[in-house]
Amino acid sequence: MEDQWKRTALLVIDMQKDFVEDGSVMWVKGGKAIVPNVMEAVELARRRGILVVWVVREHDPQGRDVELFRRHFYSSGKLGPTSKGSTGAELVDGLEIREGDYKLVKKRFSAFFATHLHSVLQGAGIDSLVIAGVQTPNCIRQTVFDAVALDYQSVTVLVDATAAATPEVHHANIFDMKNIGVSTPTLQEWRQSAS
């Protein structure tokens, strides 16, 4: 298995204060509950020698690079969600980028869209992905569907280290991803497979 871990990356998606902490306009209701599992997944990945990729949003403070439907959050001179350099763009407490990890800034739902992620992963010999973070119907789903389209050998979504606004939305999207060949273990099941 050790050889397989060297060909695997853990993508931790959007675990930022503006998405996880109560009160933000972008708050994902289920996000806070998964923080301990995301922390554990990151630690397990590091122990196994799996590349940890922190996929984050960092937007222009004026919202010039954000989706059209979100630009109203940046109007009237107010600081919009996940503006570059803002507190809301920081990782939630307990999660940190360490030496050897990789940080990727994205501007849209998919971690692959208009980024160099695929090139970085190919250059590192990565052919398998494990996904954690928020939110299941948007950034998780878009990244997963793109990974499948790009022919990654294995795509895994940790069902209890990913979340959406409601459990129903989360489970419906997990169901859809399972139907395209994505593995959907719990963290415990993934931990046991990593032994």
Side-chain angles (χ1 to χ4, degrees), residues 14-191:
D14 292 348
M15 291 300 293
Q16 297 162 269
K17 292 178 180 177
D18 273 346
F19 294 117
V20 177
E21 293 186 352
D22 302 351
S24 169
V25 296
M26 302 302 291
W27 177 50
V28 177
K29 192 173 182 180
K32 192 169 272 191
I34 66 165
V35 171
N37 282 357
V38 173
M39 291 170 60
E40 190 174 335
V42 169
E43 289 309 312
L44 177 59
R46 287 177 175 146
R47 283 194 307 270
R48 300 294 180 214
I50 293 171
L51 173 65
V52 178
V53 179
W54 298 93
V55 180
V56 297
R57 279 188 180 246
E58 290 180 358
H59 289 293
D60 173 78
Q62 296 176 28
R64 293 174 287 202
D65 58 0
V66 75
E67 296 98 331
L68 287 174
F69 76 94
R70 289 186 174 162
R71 291 204 178 152
H72 66 281
F73 292 128
Y74 298 80
S75 61
S76 306
K78 60 183 175 179
L79 193 63
T82 65
S83 290
K84 186 175 174 123
S86 71
T87 301
E90 295 173 0
L91 294 174
V92 296
D93 293 341
L95 296 177
E96 65 177 327
I97 300 170
R98 292 192 188 159
E99 186 176 340
D101 294 349
Y102 188 78
K103 177 183 173 183
L104 177 89
V105 176
K106 68 181 175 68
K107 307 294 183 183
R108 295 294 188 265
F109 294 130
S110 175
F112 291 101
F113 181 81
T115 73
H116 54 278
L117 178 59
H118 186 56
S119 176
V120 168
L121 296 175
Q122 284 185 316
I126 302 296
D127 65 11
S128 298
L129 302 177
V130 178
I131 313 291
V134 294
Q135 107 157 306
T136 316
N138 298 347
C139 299
I140 303 298
R141 182 185 179 110
Q142 288 296 105
T143 298
V144 164
F145 273 72
D146 282 352
V148 169
L150 290 165
D151 292 328
Y152 281 85
Q153 296 269 336
S154 171
V155 180
T156 299
V157 175
L158 299 175
V159 294
D160 54 355
T162 50
T166 69
E168 295 79 16
V169 169
H170 177 67
H171 294 299
N173 281 276
I174 293 294
F175 178 82
D176 286 347
M177 289 184 274
K178 282 175 83 167
N179 283 334
I180 63 164
V182 173
S183 176
T184 58
T186 64
L187 177 60
Q188 175 70 24
E189 291 166 340
W190 187 62
R191 184 186 312 108

